[in-house]
Amino acid sequence: HMADAKEYVSRPDELGNIHISEDVLAVIAAAAALEVEGVGSLAANLGTDLAELFGGKKNIAKGIHITVEEESVRVDVALLVKYGYTIPDVAREVQEAVYSAIENTSGLTVECVNVQVSGIAFDREHKRS
């Protein structure tokens, strides 16, 4: 049963089951988020609170938390937005990038992508003197 093996997401296939590790999904999500222009970095501080909230599972990729519900995946992303970018625009692009990356790469259904902007990343070059 799914609850017994939370580390993997199972996908039934004609020839048998395909098991995809949550670590894999977290890495895919992290890579997609970091490709979005305006993302400074992923935040490390998401782990503790959410992991406790979602059943004590440790946070794999920094700033990414994967929750598997039945056949679908929920992704929580915590990140820093670069100064000078519009926060809602960057967050929306991250949602779309993570959503399509996981669906296209794993074939799993993404239920939702929650983005938590936990800070601003300052780029020295762009600071006005």
Side-chain angles (χ1 to χ4, degrees):
H1 191 254
M2 208 65 121
D4 304 335
K6 268 292 197 220
E7 302 273 325
Y8 287 85
V9 190
S10 296
R11 200 171 170 249
D13 191 80
E14 288 171 22
L15 304 176
N17 283 317
I18 300 169
H19 300 289
I20 303 172
S21 165
E22 287 184 8
D23 297 28
V24 170
L25 298 177
V27 169
I28 292 168
L34 289 169
E35 276 181 16
V36 173
E37 199 189 340
V39 172
S41 67
L42 297 180
N45 61 355
L46 183 73
T48 43
D49 302 335
L50 272 182
E52 283 165 18
L53 201 64
F54 294 137
K57 179 143 175 33
K58 68 181 188 309
N59 203 22
I60 311 129
K62 191 172 76 148
I64 305 278
H65 191 90
I66 303 287
T67 313
V68 180
E69 287 165 355
E70 300 305 313
E71 301 281 306
S72 66
V73 181
R74 190 172 84 223
V75 186
D76 290 279
V77 186
L79 51 82
L80 304 182
V81 170
K82 286 181 183 169
Y83 181 73
Y85 284 85
T86 309
I87 291 172
D89 291 350
V90 173
R92 198 172 302 113
E93 274 189 58
V94 167
Q95 285 178 310
E96 287 168 10
V98 169
Y99 186 94
S100 56
I102 289 184
E103 292 220 326
N104 294 338
T105 310
S106 68
L108 295 160
T109 304
V110 178
E111 183 198 320
C112 63
V113 179
N114 300 314
V115 176
Q116 176 186 315
V117 177
S118 51
I120 297 289
F122 288 97
D123 228 340
R124 289 209 184 97
E125 302 159 24
H126 296 150
K127 252 185 197 163
R128 302 191 179 99
S129 44

